[in-house]
Amino acid sequence: MFTLAKDTDAPPLTEQIVRHYAQRIDEGALLPGARLPSVRQLAARLEVSVHTVLVALDRLSGLGYVASRPGAGYYVQRTAAQAAAAPAAAPRAQPATTTSGFTHSVLSTDATLLQAGAGYLPRHWYEDAIAPATLARSLRESAEAAVVPPVQGLPSLREQLAARLARRQIPARPEQLLTTFGASQALQLAARAVAVPGDAVLVDDPGYFLLHSQLAALGLRVVGVPREAQGPDLDALAALVQEHRPRAFFTQTLLHNPTGASTVPARSHRILNLAEAFDFVLVEDDVYGDLAGDAGVRLAQIDALRRVIYVGSFSKLLSPSLRVGYLAAPLSLTERLVDLKLMDVLSGSTLEEALVAEVLRSGRYHRHVLRLRERLARSRGAAIAALQGCGLRFDADAAQAGGVFLWAGLPPGVLAPALVEAAREAGIVIAGGHMFSRRGVGADRLRLNAAWATDARLLGFLKAQLGGAG
Amino acid sequence: MFTLAKDTDAPPLTEQIVRHYAQRIDEGALLPGARLPSVRQLAARLEVSVHTVLVALDRLSGLGYVASRPGAGYYVQRTAAQAAAAPAAAPRAQPATTTSGFTHSVLSTDATLLQAGAGYLPRHWYEDAIAPATLARSLRESAEAAVVPPVQGLPSLREQLAARLARRQIPARPEQLLTTFGASQALQLAARAVAVPGDAVLVDDPGYFLLHSQLAALGLRVVGVPREAQGPDLDALAALVQEHRPRAFFTQTLLHNPTGASTVPARSHRILNLAEAFDFVLVEDDVYGDLAGDAGVRLAQIDALRRVIYVGSFSKLLSPSLRVGYLAAPLSLTERLVDLKLMDVLSGSTLEEALVAEVLRSGRYHRHVLRLRERLARSRGAAIAALQGCGLRFDADAAQAGGVFLWAGLPPGVLAPALVEAAREAGIVIAGGHMFSRRGVGADRLRLNAAWATDARLLGFLKAQLGGAG
């Protein structure tokens, strides 16, 4: 067995593992069809975490050197020379187990894929969301305007949003609101408004993987705060704050992605006190919050928007065809946020902003969300029962929790990446729990979408895979 | 008279001028109503450029310390204490003479403003662009899709774009195309794909001011290449390339903003040879190129898209209500561009991308652009004659040039910033030539939009202002 260099100047451990196997395969020391040691064996022999090994194998798989067979480990597939000789026209597919590969799968136009791991809902769940008459009216209005909206967003939309937030006791005036192309843009603008490369930022762990990647891509040090059933682990949070002096903590108070749990108000209170004492900003991701209703208690409400940047979106619940998100920020940050948006994209879309404003004004969005809540509540119960029948496990309060996501435990011995890859080969997109963690946890979980989780294809696949592994 | 510190450690010269006057006004050494020395006097006494003085006065004006009276210079307006005592509710207006202030004015929803300096066309010029039936069809289709499109963009749109570029002999396959939220996003993605903070990039000078700001905000060193009637000054370009070793040259080959001129093919050929010899990328901004028709010769065509990133948009000519732009890049850069877009905004809008695809497919966009060209040709001739009557001067070939912009020379002694500010007070938005330059030229020019330039309000204002100053 080879050994890894572990001094601080050495290349990253995953990099060393990848290089070792790539070289051995290229040299012919390992031939196509040869079986690699198991993930746990490799981790033990190399004295690294299972997570590190999984990341390295993912990379090798993405490079075409190895392929996994669910339940049976990783096999050598082909050499670099063989890979290079393959037709150049075929785009390099990213492995389904990486965040980027997963995201491209979720956004694929391949209608045969079953999107059981997506953050969106099935197409027909959106059908009642936008009335044809509303569309026609907002299109006429935006055509009459026929201008790019102000950088900060269309005034009529910002007024509707302010009224909506006021009902949740979040005192955001229209001049504190900024529209964005989805929550993704809002989150990266918030990060850039408060932190510079090299700064530390905290995130929920497990938490939304694309946010983790976004923050890392900005050159920030991304530190995971363990997430418990009641919210972030406060002792861990306090220790991490003292150690890293972060500029911000990105957290999802309600219907947290991927666990579905919500932070209880007593914890939110203590999180806000910590933020005050150590002078960091809270960026509250509330993209699923409309499903929790006005009753859920948000950080922005307790704090009255003094130290919180609140992020919302209409892409998840109104229509994934639209890219309209927004943020509400303390007035001291608004100008900087507007400048950052101006330099990135100039401004938003009058057509889409007018459309969302009209859907809000008409009351139709409110009724649509109520229907989604009822529908999801029914789906969650049925899905949990069916998935338990396949060998998946759930936390005690999973049925009571709301929202889109189910955070399912795998049977002992089954690891998410291999299962995700096998599912993708069967045309099923599921989200491996390993993607959601900066701390190397979650490889024994899947995130499933409650709306798709009773699909017969998914259940059949899981039964076939897990029946033999449990 | 005070003197400026000019050693390398000293604060920027504009900063020193601003501080000096702010302090004198705060101390009461200069009282409201007092007249400052003229711009040229100040420049001569302080031994700095007129441009430096103008920037400093802009800043002081933005801070509320001074105000300009066109043709009569700058006057002390109020002290900082007086400014602070003003109602806090009033948002800090940015001076109309800065790029940011100008942009906010252009994107204002205030319908009483005359947008004589905008890059857009009057509302009714867009009316024939999108048929109601097209809208309805693409909305239905995007609702049926009801998903976020692939990060790279909706396949049907990328196919339409590839076919369109093929007609211009630009060999872009759909997998080399990336949709963006307007050309602004395309330009910043292109910059980030090829350069890192500290790198030098070249721009047309004069050139599109928001691009200059975007690139500077990315931490790039932005160096202006003098633009002549036939295109970039090749001797200057060669010298700047040797001196700065840039990673990219951002240039607008056709219907250049602000001059309206196009680069001749012989210059494009030599620019491409320089790019090859010194290994930099050309980013070709072609947002007005559809007005030049398929006959215009683009860098991307001569180069066959090997070293050129080509940027287009539908916001300018189809509808400013939409934010759909795109870029076509060498295949070696596509993956990086897609990753950058994913981390910024996740993906585009299915609704808008489906709409643009349908408008292209139907042939309606083509007919709409033909009408715009005829209309603009008529407007340009009439506008030039009317503006000459107000004392503005034009280059010999201005009438023959096409497109949206008129690059008008001011009478001797009149400087753009003061005129822009006076216009804004009269509810007229015009673009001062000083905004377009990194080299401090252009303060004797205005950029006007040919579609608005015969408006009686604008002509009346110019006559009143320039009649006394010429």
Side-chain angles (χ1 to χ4, degrees):
Chain A
M1 200 66 204
F2 68 107
T3 53
L4 300 176
K6 292 191 177 169
D7 47 295
T8 52
D9 292 341
L13 298 175
T14 53
E15 188 60 36
Q16 293 184 54
I17 301 171
V18 169
R19 278 191 214 164
H20 170 80
Y21 278 105
Q23 199 179 338
R24 299 255 298 163
I25 294 167
D26 280 340
E27 290 166 355
L30 282 170
L31 293 174
R35 188 174 187 276
L36 268 52
S38 81
V39 172
R40 289 182 198 282
Q41 284 172 330
L42 270 175
R45 290 190 204 164
L46 298 172
E47 297 177 1
V48 297
S49 71
V50 164
H51 183 71
T52 299
V53 172
L54 283 171
V55 171
L57 289 171
D58 261 11
R59 189 98 56 85
L60 284 163
S61 168
L63 293 167
Y65 281 107
V66 305
S68 71
R69 299 185 198 160
Y74 285 82
Y75 288 79
V76 174
Q77 185 160 257
R78 57 181 181 178
T79 65
Q82 289 170 330
R92 190 177 71 74
Q94 288 168 302
T97 50
T98 63
T99 58
S100 178
F102 172 78
T103 305
H104 285 292
S105 289
V106 167
L107 305 184
S108 165
T109 48
D110 181 351
T112 67
L113 290 178
L114 177 66
Q115 295 289 359
Y120 298 101
L121 296 167
R123 183 187 305 168
H124 62 282
W125 289 42
Y126 295 107
E127 272 168 6
D128 67 334
I130 303 175
T134 303
L135 261 180
R137 192 178 317 120
S138 54
L139 291 170
R140 208 162 45 235
E141 280 167 13
S142 78
E144 274 166 21
V147 287
V148 184
V151 182
Q152 206 165 343
L154 211 60
S156 59
L157 176 56
R158 287 188 285 127
E159 279 155 28
Q160 288 291 335
L161 292 172
R164 193 170 170 75
L165 293 178
R167 285 198 293 278
R168 295 183 180 160
Q169 298 174 288
I170 298 173
R173 301 204 305 270
E175 57 267 35
Q176 292 175 268
L177 286 158
L178 177 72
T179 63
T180 57
F181 287 116
S184 292
Q185 191 184 29
L187 292 167
Q188 62 99 345
L189 291 175
R192 290 160 63 205
V194 301
V196 296
D199 281 346
V201 290
L202 305 180
V203 294
D204 289 331
D205 190 327
Y208 177 46
F209 52 83
L210 193 64
L211 170 65
H212 298 179
S213 301
Q214 282 185 300
L215 298 172
L218 291 173
L220 303 172
R221 289 184 292 124
V222 185
V223 179
V225 179
R227 179 91 184 195
E228 304 175 326
Q230 307 277 301
D233 175 337
L234 290 175
D235 293 336
L237 177 62
L240 291 169
V241 163
Q242 301 226 26
E243 183 186 346
H244 295 283
R245 301 289 162 154
R247 302 287 303 152
F249 176 23
F250 289 74
T251 187
Q252 198 166 14
T253 308
L254 302 180
L255 305 179
H256 168 248
N257 175 3
T259 66
S262 295
T263 302
V264 296
R267 288 214 188 184
S268 289
H269 170 68
R270 290 186 53 197
I271 293 168
L272 283 163
N273 284 347
L274 263 177
E276 189 75 41
F278 289 88
D279 195 23
F280 59 91
V281 167
L282 292 163
V283 183
E284 182 170 38
D285 174 352
D286 199 36
V287 295
Y288 292 102
D290 289 344
L291 291 176
D294 294 351
V297 176
R298 292 163 178 86
L299 287 167
Q301 173 187 357
I302 306 179
D303 170 69
L305 216 57
R306 282 173 314 175
R307 187 171 280 282
V308 174
I309 300 176
Y310 174 89
V311 172
S313 171
F314 293 94
S315 296
K316 294 286 190 295
L317 304 186
L318 178 62
S319 168
S321 298
L322 303 174
R323 296 294 292 149
V324 180
Y326 63 98
L327 55 78
L331 208 50
S332 58
L333 287 172
T334 314
E335 194 177 345
R336 169 130 180 86
L337 287 161
V338 171
D339 279 349
L340 287 170
K341 178 180 169 186
L342 170 65
M343 291 298 147
D344 267 13
V345 295
L346 180 60
S347 188
S349 154
T350 310
L351 171 60
E352 301 207 348
E353 295 191 4
L355 182 55
V356 173
E358 177 59 24
V359 172
L360 289 177
R361 196 200 56 72
S362 69
R364 196 171 180 111
Y365 180 68
H366 182 67
R367 294 192 297 277
H368 166 67
V369 168
L370 288 181
R371 270 192 296 272
L372 285 187
R373 275 154 75 175
E374 289 164 20
R375 209 160 181 171
L376 275 169
R378 283 196 303 274
S379 295
R380 289 183 74 85
I384 288 171
L387 293 169
Q388 281 171 333
C390 300
L392 294 178
R393 294 168 297 111
F394 292 90
D395 297 336
D397 49 359
Q400 277 71 51
V404 172
F405 296 120
L406 296 170
W407 187 230
L410 292 167
V414 178
L415 290 171
L419 193 64
V420 166
E421 210 162 311
R424 186 64 181 73
E425 276 162 33
I428 300 170
V429 182
I430 53 179
H434 62 291
M435 293 194 302
F436 296 83
S437 178
R438 305 292 289 180
R439 299 177 298 132
V441 304
D444 57 348
R445 295 267 193 170
L446 295 180
R447 186 195 75 180
L448 296 170
N449 185 312
W452 268 289
T454 49
D455 185 281
R457 254 169 94 193
L458 174 69
L459 297 175
F461 168 81
L462 290 173
K463 270 191 189 128
Q465 293 288 325
L466 304 180
Chain B
M1 199 66 205
F2 66 108
T3 54
L4 300 177
K6 292 191 179 172
D7 47 296
T8 51
D9 293 341
L13 297 174
T14 53
E15 188 61 37
Q16 293 184 54
I17 300 171
V18 169
R19 279 191 214 163
H20 170 82
Y21 277 106
Q23 198 180 340
R24 298 257 297 165
I25 295 167
D26 280 340
E27 290 166 354
L30 282 170
L31 293 173
R35 186 173 187 278
L36 268 53
S38 80
V39 171
R40 290 182 194 283
Q41 285 172 332
L42 269 174
R45 289 188 202 164
L46 298 172
E47 297 176 1
V48 297
S49 71
V50 164
H51 183 72
T52 299
V53 172
L54 283 170
V55 171
L57 289 171
D58 260 10
R59 189 101 54 87
L60 285 163
S61 168
L63 294 166
Y65 281 108
V66 306
S68 71
R69 299 183 198 162
Y74 284 82
Y75 287 79
V76 174
Q77 187 162 253
R78 58 182 181 178
T79 66
Q82 290 170 328
R92 190 177 72 73
Q94 289 169 302
T97 50
T98 64
T99 58
S100 178
F102 172 77
T103 305
H104 286 292
S105 289
V106 166
L107 305 184
S108 165
T109 48
D110 181 351
T112 67
L113 289 178
L114 178 66
Q115 295 290 0
Y120 298 101
L121 297 166
R123 182 186 307 167
H124 62 279
W125 288 42
Y126 295 107
E127 272 167 8
D128 66 336
I130 303 175
T134 303
L135 259 181
R137 190 177 319 122
S138 53
L139 291 169
R140 208 161 47 235
E141 280 165 15
S142 78
E144 275 167 22
V147 288
V148 183
V151 181
Q152 204 165 345
L154 211 59
S156 59
L157 176 56
R158 286 188 285 129
E159 279 156 26
Q160 288 291 334
L161 292 172
R164 196 172 168 73
L165 292 178
R167 286 197 291 279
R168 292 181 182 162
Q169 300 173 286
I170 298 174
R173 300 204 304 270
E175 58 267 36
Q176 292 175 269
L177 287 158
L178 177 74
T179 63
T180 58
F181 287 116
S184 292
Q185 190 185 31
L187 292 166
Q188 62 100 345
L189 292 175
R192 289 159 64 206
V194 301
V196 297
D199 281 345
V201 289
L202 305 180
V203 295
D204 289 332
D205 190 328
Y208 177 46
F209 52 83
L210 193 65
L211 170 65
H212 298 179
S213 301
Q214 282 184 299
L215 297 173
L218 292 173
L220 303 173
R221 290 184 292 123
V222 185
V223 179
V225 179
R227 178 92 184 194
E228 303 174 325
Q230 308 276 303
D233 176 336
L234 290 175
D235 292 336
L237 176 62
L240 292 168
V241 162
Q242 302 227 24
E243 183 185 347
H244 295 284
R245 301 286 162 156
R247 303 287 303 154
F249 175 24
F250 289 75
T251 186
Q252 199 168 12
T253 308
L254 302 180
L255 305 179
H256 169 248
N257 175 3
T259 66
S262 296
T263 301
V264 296
R267 287 214 188 185
S268 289
H269 169 68
R270 290 186 55 195
I271 293 168
L272 283 163
N273 285 345
L274 263 178
E276 188 74 41
F278 289 88
D279 194 22
F280 60 89
V281 167
L282 292 163
V283 182
E284 182 170 37
D285 173 352
D286 199 36
V287 296
Y288 292 101
D290 290 343
L291 291 175
D294 295 349
V297 177
R298 293 163 178 85
L299 287 169
Q301 173 187 357
I302 306 180
D303 170 66
L305 214 58
R306 283 173 314 175
R307 188 171 278 284
V308 173
I309 300 176
Y310 175 90
V311 173
S313 170
F314 294 94
S315 296
K316 294 286 190 296
L317 304 185
L318 177 62
S319 169
S321 297
L322 303 174
R323 296 294 292 149
V324 180
Y326 62 97
L327 55 79
L331 208 50
S332 59
L333 286 171
T334 314
E335 194 177 346
R336 169 130 181 84
L337 288 160
V338 171
D339 279 349
L340 288 169
K341 179 180 169 187
L342 170 64
M343 291 300 149
D344 267 13
V345 294
L346 181 58
S347 189
S349 154
T350 310
L351 171 60
E352 302 207 349
E353 295 191 3
L355 182 55
V356 173
E358 177 59 25
V359 172
L360 289 178
R361 196 201 56 72
S362 68
R364 196 171 179 111
Y365 179 67
H366 181 68
R367 295 191 296 276
H368 166 68
V369 168
L370 288 180
R371 271 193 295 271
L372 285 187
R373 275 154 77 175
E374 289 165 18
R375 209 160 180 172
L376 275 168
R378 284 196 301 274
S379 294
R380 288 183 75 85
I384 288 170
L387 293 168
Q388 282 173 330
C390 299
L392 294 178
R393 294 167 297 110
F394 291 89
D395 297 336
D397 49 0
Q400 277 69 50
V404 172
F405 297 121
L406 297 169
W407 187 232
L410 292 166
V414 178
L415 289 171
L419 193 64
V420 166
E421 210 162 312
R424 186 64 181 75
E425 276 162 34
I428 300 169
V429 181
I430 53 179
H434 62 292
M435 293 194 302
F436 296 84
S437 179
R438 307 289 290 180
R439 298 177 299 135
V441 304
D444 57 347
R445 296 269 191 168
L446 295 180
R447 186 195 74 179
L448 296 169
N449 184 313
W452 268 289
T454 48
D455 185 280
R457 253 168 95 194
L458 174 69
L459 298 174
F461 167 82
L462 290 173
K463 271 190 187 129
Q465 293 288 327
L466 304 179

